[in-house]
Amino acid sequence: MSGRTERSPGTARRTLVVGSGFVGSEIARRLVAEGHEVTLGSRGRPTVAPEDYGARWQSLDATDARACERAVATVAPRTVVLVHGPSDVTWCEAHPEEATAAHRTATAHFAAVPDLDRIVMISTDNVFDGRCAENVESTPTAPANAYGVAKRAAEEVLLSGAASPATALRVSLVYGHEPAGGGKWLNFFASCAHRLARGEPVEAPTDQWTTPVLVDDVARVVARLLAHEGDLPPVLHLGGPERVSRAAWAREIARALRAPTALVHPVPRAAGRYASRPRNTCLSSTLLPTVPGMDTVPLQGVAAAAEALASRFLRSGSTASAALTRTAVPSPVSREGAPASHETERLCRLQGGQNA
């Protein structure tokens, strides 16, 4: 695929975001706010029109080489952010070959573009098998499911032959506000919050752990990476500041909504759609803090973020039950994901060592 070999005046901050879902759209919003000229490319139009916040949208099938060439020629980007799908872990498990082909092919098309300032691909914690309570960049990969296999294949394509500087940013489970009734599976936080705000019960695994990261923080980190003018490590990790089980996290969401925590029903992950998730989808980073400017992105913890997001769910059309009027006092969440006396797990030693 042909690329641009010279910068033209005013083009240095042109960005093409491939994928316009929950994460891609928030990244686009952040980049627009920081002065980028942003185009989102995806098969279908985003739920929220990019024009509403100053971006553009272009129809794009990222598995079609010629369509990708046309997008690069039309947008003339200096940076590219790959947030393409499929990303539903359950769907990928049912369609493993199709998932891997889609991720590999789309990544290869943009990895071939020369003379870009930077490519950032959003990857996943599912490239690890879940045996370790935390994973750093040097931890050997061992994908736990078909989604992890697909993303690891895409990483290999990007990092083995990118024609421009490229980084794979692995992120933990991303969460934030999403409206109900959008015809899609919501992120875990939004799914729980909408149900709890209506006084409905929520089932959440006690044996599936993550380091949740707010979508706003993901967008800010990506913006900082694109703004960096020097070299970056080929792989970076972005996890939230706390390690928490989904059940403990759901209880924090209930507290923020002033809903009874008894509405959260703890279950084993094998009982539902989380069966294919590894026990631990937790990320820590030894490298991201060394990137200049990253100290300006303080990552939000689950309790504080739940309190900040709660009002959006209570005013978004959910019908709250009378039980929601009671006062709840949030409890501190430890790095192990619950009050420090519960749900702890010894961290395993990671191959490759950890830097101080």
Side-chain angles (χ1 to χ4, degrees):
M1 188 185 304
S2 61
R4 300 172 70 252
T5 58
E6 295 182 4
R7 295 192 193 191
S8 300
T11 66
R13 294 176 72 81
R14 282 186 188 165
T15 300
L16 174 63
V17 178
V18 181
S20 62
F22 173 56
V23 178
S25 293
E26 189 59 36
I27 290 172
R29 286 177 183 271
R30 170 52 52 181
L31 294 176
V32 168
E34 296 198 9
H36 289 253
E37 185 179 326
V38 179
T39 301
L40 290 98
S42 60
R43 290 185 181 182
R45 245 195 179 280
T47 304
V48 177
E51 293 79 9
D52 289 351
Y53 52 87
R56 301 185 185 90
W57 175 76
Q58 178 170 319
S59 178
L60 174 64
D61 177 358
T63 65
D64 183 329
R66 291 193 175 183
C68 293
E69 289 177 350
R70 288 193 296 271
V72 170
T74 301
V75 177
R78 294 309 313 155
T79 54
V80 172
V81 182
L82 300 178
V83 206
H84 57 285
S87 59
D88 185 302
V89 177
T90 303
W91 185 92
C92 291
E93 202 67 11
H95 307 84
E97 294 182 0
E98 188 176 347
T100 297
H103 280 281
R104 283 182 59 95
T105 302
T107 302
H109 291 158
F110 289 97
V113 180
D115 303 313
L116 296 171
D117 294 336
R118 192 169 312 282
I119 303 172
V120 173
M121 186 188 80
I122 304 300
S123 190
T124 177
D125 46 19
N126 282 263
V127 299
F128 299 106
D129 60 14
R131 288 182 296 176
C132 291
E134 295 191 57
N135 300 282
V136 295
E137 290 90 348
S138 60
T139 305
T141 57
N145 49 40
Y147 179 57
V149 169
K151 275 297 191 183
R152 181 57 188 145
E155 288 182 1
E156 291 171 348
V157 167
L158 182 73
L159 302 178
S160 65
S164 298
T167 294
L169 177 67
R170 296 175 182 151
V171 299
S172 285
L173 196 156
V174 184
Y175 69 97
H177 178 267
E178 287 186 280
K184 64 182 287 293
W185 182 264
L186 301 177
N187 71 81
F188 180 79
F189 185 104
S191 177
C192 288
H194 282 300
R195 293 185 63 86
L196 291 167
R198 295 192 297 263
E200 298 172 3
V202 165
E203 290 188 347
T206 58
D207 57 348
Q208 208 274 317
W209 301 71
T210 182
T211 43
V213 59
L214 190 64
V215 67
D216 309 58
D217 292 342
V218 175
R220 290 186 179 97
V221 167
V222 170
R224 297 273 59 74
L225 295 180
L226 295 185
H228 183 63
E229 295 185 355
D231 293 336
L232 286 174
V235 174
L236 290 168
H237 281 189
L238 173 58
E242 294 153 336
R243 178 175 177 271
V244 62
S245 73
R246 287 189 190 248
W249 187 17
R251 288 192 291 270
E252 289 295 337
I253 299 168
R255 291 186 184 99
L257 292 167
R258 307 303 187 255
T261 56
L263 287 173
V264 178
H265 297 174
V267 296
R269 74 182 189 279
R273 68 177 272 114
Y274 303 107
S276 61
R277 273 68 164 182
R279 175 176 174 80
N280 293 291
T281 51
C282 304
L283 298 178
S284 292
S285 182
T286 60
L287 302 177
L288 192 63
T290 68
V291 177
M294 210 53 70
D295 57 348
T296 66
V297 189
L299 302 180
Q300 299 186 58
V302 293
E307 289 286 346
L309 288 168
S311 62
R312 300 187 66 185
F313 289 92
L314 291 173
R315 70 170 183 255
S316 63
S318 297
T319 303
S321 70
L324 303 190
T325 61
R326 76 177 186 87
T327 301
V329 179
S331 66
V333 177
S334 72
R335 180 61 166 152
E336 284 70 45
S341 59
H342 300 291
E343 299 183 14
T344 59
E345 180 177 327
R346 182 177 64 84
L347 301 183
C348 70
R349 293 291 88 191
L350 303 174
Q351 279 187 280
Q354 293 183 341
N355 296 327

